[in-house]
Amino acid sequence: MNPRQLEQALELSNIRTSLVAYRDAAQKSKWYIRFFVPGLDGRYNPGVAVVSSSKVDKLIDALNKAYKKMELLEEEKYTGEFSEDFVLRGEVSDTLSVTVSSKKSYILFWSYKKIRLHFLVSSKTNTFSRSFDSNHVKAAINILSSAENLAAKLINQL
């Protein structure tokens, strides 16, 4: 790690996330968030997505819209499947996309809806998915919303 750089893990469930704060060559304070999804085993390169500080608000806004959609889907009576993209690859990171999907499943006499938000993080050769229910999405929004304040604290330690 660069001596002018500090890294702090963020407590997102189901995906390894960290905030990295640093000073560049001109001594300007900067930060970004890194999402890391390991491959299935040692044969696969991990998926890594970097979201710069300037794109974090856009990601939070998209997650808020996705959360509202998840709430609507939980209330609605419907059959079939649903899928909608909220972040396309290249909008906040070259390797990250975010999708909400819903599927109604049947087991014997019971039916249930499975509504999930999927973080899709790409490596050079594969895309790995981590899914979240609506409670975890709300927690992720809260954590990402506090990232700027955490970055300021880390930068003050440099």
Side-chain angles (χ1 to χ4, degrees):
M1 184 183 307
N2 183 334
R4 295 184 306 178
Q5 171 178 304
L6 288 174
E7 186 170 345
Q8 173 74 45
L10 299 178
E11 299 298 323
L12 288 172
S13 67
N14 212 18
I15 191 168
R16 197 161 53 177
T17 309
S18 59
L19 183 142
V20 179
Y22 64 98
R23 293 193 190 274
D24 66 10
Q27 293 299 309
K28 290 185 180 179
S29 301
K30 298 194 176 198
W31 61 276
Y32 61 88
I33 295 177
R34 180 176 45 225
F35 298 93
F36 179 86
V37 182
L40 303 173
D41 58 35
R43 295 176 292 170
Y44 298 92
N45 290 328
V48 179
V50 172
V51 178
S52 68
S53 59
S54 64
K55 300 283 186 167
V56 170
D57 284 341
K58 186 172 185 169
L59 176 60
I60 292 168
D61 185 49
L63 291 175
N64 274 315
K65 289 176 183 172
Y67 177 77
K68 288 175 184 170
K69 178 57 94 174
M70 293 173 81
E71 285 184 318
L72 284 173
L73 289 169
E74 288 171 357
E75 295 172 4
E76 287 182 8
K77 306 274 188 242
Y78 70 93
T79 59
E81 296 184 16
F82 171 86
S83 179
E84 183 176 344
D85 296 324
F86 285 86
V87 175
L88 297 174
R89 195 173 292 151
E91 289 182 328
V92 298
S93 171
D94 290 340
T95 56
L96 174 70
S97 60
V98 177
T99 301
V100 169
S101 68
S102 178
K103 182 177 183 181
K104 190 166 189 176
S105 300
Y106 298 91
I107 298 177
L108 297 175
F109 303 106
W110 298 279
S111 69
Y112 67 95
K113 287 191 278 187
K114 187 174 184 179
I115 301 166
R116 305 294 284 181
L117 179 135
H118 303 276
F119 264 78
L120 302 154
V121 181
S122 299
S123 70
K124 291 180 181 178
T125 55
N126 298 295
T127 298
F128 304 106
S129 176
R130 292 294 185 262
S131 64
F132 299 85
D133 64 21
S134 59
N135 292 330
H136 291 127
V137 173
K138 193 64 175 168
I141 292 167
N142 291 334
I143 290 167
L144 294 174
S145 295
S146 66
E148 187 170 5
N149 290 335
L150 178 58
K153 289 178 185 176
L154 290 176
I155 289 168
N156 285 335
Q157 294 176 22
L158 293 173

